[in-house]
Amino acid sequence: MSTSTLPHTTSVSAAAPLHVPAPAEKPGFWRAPFATATFRELGYVLTSLPVAIAGFTCAVTMFSLGAGLLVTVLGLPVLAAALAAARGLGGAERRRARTGLGLAVAGPGAFDGPREAGRWAGFRARLADGAGWRALLFQVVMFPWRVLSFVLAVTFFVVGWVVALFPTYSWVFHRYVGWPGYRVYDFTSGGERHAYYVTSPAQIAAVSLIGLVILFLTPKLVRALTNVDRAAVRALLG
């Protein structure tokens, strides 16, 4: 009697590892205003505003509509759709953080479907999805922060470069505007005129120095602003 033994084959299904980007570059203080990493983070801040507007509008509109319709049979599916949309937006935010901030955050577990059959069971299961609620909260709380981040980043970046480069265009005010130099203020009070113009080379150099200080502090500000985004992505979208 012969027996044949077939080789035992084990099938292992391994999840694809999360792609972790290279550590975010942290350029030195003197190189930071001109470094690629700074402009990448600045681009993230700038693009975050329209993304935040869209996400906030979607989240608040659908949640308000669903909550208002809970007295009818329509409220449940609308809220379920809001949470499903929030999950999708959360995935997009994680991808933005990966490319713009060098932050790799694993997504939450897959949505745990209903244990019972039926469409309404699916809606109720969606409402029990904690990851969906956290993603919805992310869209709401990050909207005002991203508006503030956009204003601060653009203001510092533009003012820094404009003021730092003042010596290159200071002659325009004398030649084309008719001022002796850049006018800081010019007003009359009590019959006496008060005016101050930036005219001398020392004054022009001082103005440029102020701009350089702002310019070199801008990367620090942008990094601080994006660190809040990093913390929010980790806490609410992971």
Side-chain angles (χ1 to χ4, degrees):
M1 177 172 154
S2 65
T3 61
S4 62
T5 305
L6 296 176
H8 179 67
T9 305
T10 304
S11 175
V12 178
S13 175
L18 179 68
H19 172 67
V20 180
E25 178 189 1
K26 293 183 179 180
F29 179 79
W30 301 110
R31 194 168 61 88
F34 320 102
T36 302
T38 298
F39 286 95
R40 184 184 301 116
E41 291 193 354
L42 182 62
Y44 177 89
V45 172
L46 298 184
T47 57
S48 288
L49 180 60
V51 171
I53 292 174
F56 179 82
T57 302
C58 176
V60 172
T61 300
M62 295 189 69
F63 177 80
S64 301
L65 180 62
L69 291 174
L70 278 178
V71 294
T72 71
V73 296
L74 298 177
L76 204 61
V78 172
L79 284 177
L83 296 177
R87 256 189 178 259
L89 291 173
E93 288 287 358
R94 287 193 299 274
R95 288 190 291 272
R96 290 186 64 243
R98 187 177 300 120
T99 58
L101 303 179
L103 175 68
V105 174
F111 169 63
D112 189 10
R115 299 182 179 180
E116 304 173 1
R119 183 175 301 175
W120 294 103
F123 293 150
R124 290 193 297 270
R126 179 65 70 176
L127 291 184
D129 180 24
W133 285 108
R134 290 195 301 273
L136 189 72
L137 180 63
F138 178 91
Q139 300 300 330
V140 175
V141 300
M142 291 304 291
F143 173 69
W145 172 254
R146 285 177 166 177
V147 172
L148 177 64
S149 297
F150 181 91
V151 172
L152 289 176
V154 170
T155 300
F156 270 69
F157 181 79
V158 173
V159 170
W161 279 105
V162 169
V163 178
L165 295 175
F166 179 69
T168 64
Y169 61 86
S170 59
W171 54 272
V172 170
F173 303 100
H174 173 71
R175 177 172 298 183
Y176 295 106
V177 184
W179 298 346
Y182 175 74
R183 184 167 67 185
V184 179
Y185 61 80
D186 188 350
F187 66 93
T188 301
S189 176
E192 183 178 357
R193 184 182 179 187
H194 304 271
Y196 186 85
Y197 293 84
V198 179
T199 56
S200 69
Q203 291 173 321
I204 294 174
V207 170
S208 181
L209 180 60
I210 293 173
L212 287 173
V213 171
I214 298 174
L215 186 63
F216 279 94
L217 290 178
T218 298
K220 300 292 185 182
L221 172 68
V222 173
R223 175 55 63 95
L225 295 173
T226 55
N227 278 343
V228 174
D229 285 75
R230 289 182 175 93
V233 170
R234 291 190 186 100
L236 297 176
L237 300 181

